[in-house]
Amino acid sequence: MSSQSVLLCQSTNCPQGNPPSRLECPTCNKLGIHGSFFCGQECFKSNWKIHKIIHDLARVPAQDGTFNPFPNYNFSGTLRPVYPLSPKREVPAHIPRPDYALRDDGVPVSEMRTLGHAPRILSPDEIEKMRIACRLGREVLDLAASHVRPGITTDEIDAIVHQATIDRNAYPSPLGYRNFPKSVCTSINEVICHGIPDQRKLREGDIVNLDISLYYQGFHSDLNATYPVGKVDEDSAKLIRTTRECLDAAIKVCKPGALFRDIGKAIESIARADNCAVVRTYTGHGINDLFHTAPNIPHYAKNKAVGTMKPGMCFTIEPMINLGTNWDTQHWDDSWTATTIDGKRSAQFEETLLITDTGVEVLTAGNRSGV
């Protein structure tokens, strides 16, 4: 049985003599300010004019020039964006780009043209190109993961990913996709996916997902993994293990003739058994010369995904698993960062798969280590 420290009423003129208190200021909680407790509404309201100065100070840009660009946003947890973002990183002119990278609006026109089409069966030559792209993607992810430690910023990780990608004569697929500003997605703690690398330093006890995608010789790879930053609590370690187990169980379903809808059933049974929830907002997807295409692969049970797996199909499975029972998402005002609605942590793993004549090949497979 754990003990809890006693927190006294913070009012400077508490009529009760500043007794132990449980009423926490909700704004301080959202801003990540700890210890703002009051014995009741009377003390809270009477002390408001003085207390709100704390909120104003928390929203002032730091002396190092960093700032929270969304000071009035109702964050679900304690994580905050730390701006300014670094300038867009350049890709050498000789490296081929996907169509959206050549457009100011970042719209993947080639993807839009194939909406409603059946999943494509790749030729042997195309499959070999996918293998190469996926091998390069794994190299970049493993390199980026080797730099995960307390004190490094996610922007520094983005720089590492960007350089490693162009060093391989590949294009970082996220960069410019629907105007995403960076070369990798970095999702910390309660962020489910699509976190934008910024000036925030990773801290001991964080968890962080690195989502790597690259475009090489006309084909995309896509993979991600969640990593502990230093030593993490048991709930976080269990969440990471459970999420990987969900993906592994889903991969075992894959073979010619298997139903896409059965993937979610395999994932949700494991997540629920460990008191976790499966995010429904985002899915796995087909991948080849297009970054996102058919098939659409939900990760939850009793979904209505259509179709069966056939040799030559390439697609991702990428379950996002939340601690607790809430699977829903909310988005920061950057229009990208998706978080849990209760501030609890989320983890994700992703692989790119190829259906073969006899089963499945994990194109992005790498060496595994425990948490």
Side-chain angles (χ1 to χ4, degrees):
M1 183 175 181
S2 61
S3 61
Q4 192 173 32
S5 59
V6 176
L7 295 168
L8 304 181
C9 178
Q10 300 297 299
S11 174
T12 56
N13 54 354
C14 175
Q16 308 298 325
N18 301 94
S21 304
R22 294 183 177 274
L23 178 64
E24 184 179 18
C25 171
T27 302
C28 284
N29 180 277
K30 295 294 182 185
L31 290 171
I33 301 169
H34 303 290
S36 294
F37 286 82
F38 298 86
C39 62
Q41 287 289 344
E42 181 180 350
C43 270
F44 181 60
K45 291 177 180 178
S46 66
N47 207 55
W48 175 248
K49 287 185 177 181
I50 297 174
H51 179 73
K52 70 184 287 291
I53 295 173
I54 297 173
H55 305 161
D56 297 335
L57 290 172
R59 292 175 172 132
V60 171
Q63 292 183 355
D64 61 2
T66 61
F67 62 95
N68 173 2
F70 317 121
N72 297 317
Y73 177 77
N74 188 23
F75 292 92
S76 66
T78 59
L79 187 72
R80 299 292 180 271
V82 182
Y83 278 42
L85 298 183
S86 60
K88 181 179 178 181
R89 294 190 163 89
E90 297 298 323
V91 177
H94 72 274
I95 294 178
R97 291 150 165 75
D99 65 340
Y100 56 82
L102 303 173
R103 296 174 56 93
D104 290 339
D105 59 9
V107 173
V109 175
S110 55
E111 290 182 10
M112 309 298 286
R113 290 177 182 148
T114 65
L115 290 175
H117 292 194
R120 197 156 75 78
I121 305 298
L122 302 187
S123 69
D125 180 63
E126 290 173 323
I127 288 172
E128 188 56 34
K129 288 181 178 179
M130 281 295 300
R131 287 194 176 107
I132 295 171
C134 288
R135 175 177 58 79
L136 296 178
R138 169 54 65 180
E139 289 177 5
V140 173
L141 176 59
D142 288 347
L143 175 63
S146 72
H147 290 272
V148 170
R149 65 179 187 277
I152 193 170
T153 68
T154 50
D155 185 67
E156 289 171 325
I157 292 175
D158 181 74
I160 291 166
V161 168
H162 185 88
Q163 189 63 48
T165 302
I166 63 175
D167 283 348
R168 289 162 174 77
N169 286 313
Y171 183 90
S173 301
L175 185 63
Y177 184 80
R178 299 188 182 276
N179 284 337
F180 188 81
K182 295 296 177 182
S183 297
V184 62
C185 297
T186 53
S187 301
I188 303 170
N189 298 344
E190 69 264 26
V191 177
I192 295 170
C193 61
H194 302 159
I196 298 175
D198 62 15
Q199 305 302 321
R200 184 191 183 276
K201 295 179 180 180
L202 294 182
R203 301 170 185 170
E204 182 85 15
D206 284 343
I207 62 173
V208 61
N209 178 274
L210 306 182
D211 194 343
I212 302 291
S213 310
L214 60 77
Y215 180 74
Y216 183 75
Q217 293 186 341
F219 286 80
H220 295 270
S221 64
D222 199 2
L223 71 160
N224 73 54
T226 301
Y227 303 93
V229 182
K231 183 175 176 58
V232 299
D233 61 46
E234 181 52 36
D235 280 345
S236 297
K238 181 180 178 182
L239 174 65
I240 293 174
R241 290 194 299 268
T242 296
T243 306
R244 183 69 228 194
E245 288 169 8
C246 286
L247 176 55
D248 290 341
I251 292 172
K252 290 178 181 178
V253 171
C254 298
K255 61 183 179 180
L259 301 175
F260 288 114
R261 68 170 179 255
D262 287 344
I263 289 173
K265 181 166 60 177
I267 291 170
E268 185 144 25
S269 62
I270 293 174
R272 284 195 172 190
D274 283 345
N275 297 312
C276 294
V278 180
V279 173
R280 300 187 172 204
T281 312
Y282 298 98
T283 67
H285 54 88
I287 184 168
N288 37 62
D289 58 325
L290 302 177
F291 193 5
H292 300 90
T293 186
N296 184 58
I297 302 174
H299 300 117
Y300 54 91
K302 299 181 180 178
N303 65 76
K304 297 181 179 180
V306 297
T308 59
M309 301 177 201
K310 299 177 182 179
M313 288 182 177
C314 270
F315 54 86
T316 71
I317 303 177
E318 45 188 295
M320 288 143 272
I321 308 299
N322 299 347
L323 284 173
T325 59
N326 285 317
W327 58 263
D328 207 355
T329 61
Q330 69 180 60
H331 290 83
W332 287 1
D333 287 343
D334 58 21
S335 300
W336 280 105
T337 306
T339 74
T340 59
I341 62 172
D342 55 11
K344 292 183 179 179
R345 292 188 169 189
S346 183
Q348 182 185 19
F349 284 87
E350 175 185 23
E351 304 281 11
T352 295
L353 311 175
L354 167 70
I355 300 300
T356 66
D357 290 332
T358 58
V360 63
E361 180 180 345
V362 183
L363 298 180
T364 48
N367 296 324
R368 299 273 292 278
S369 59
V371 176

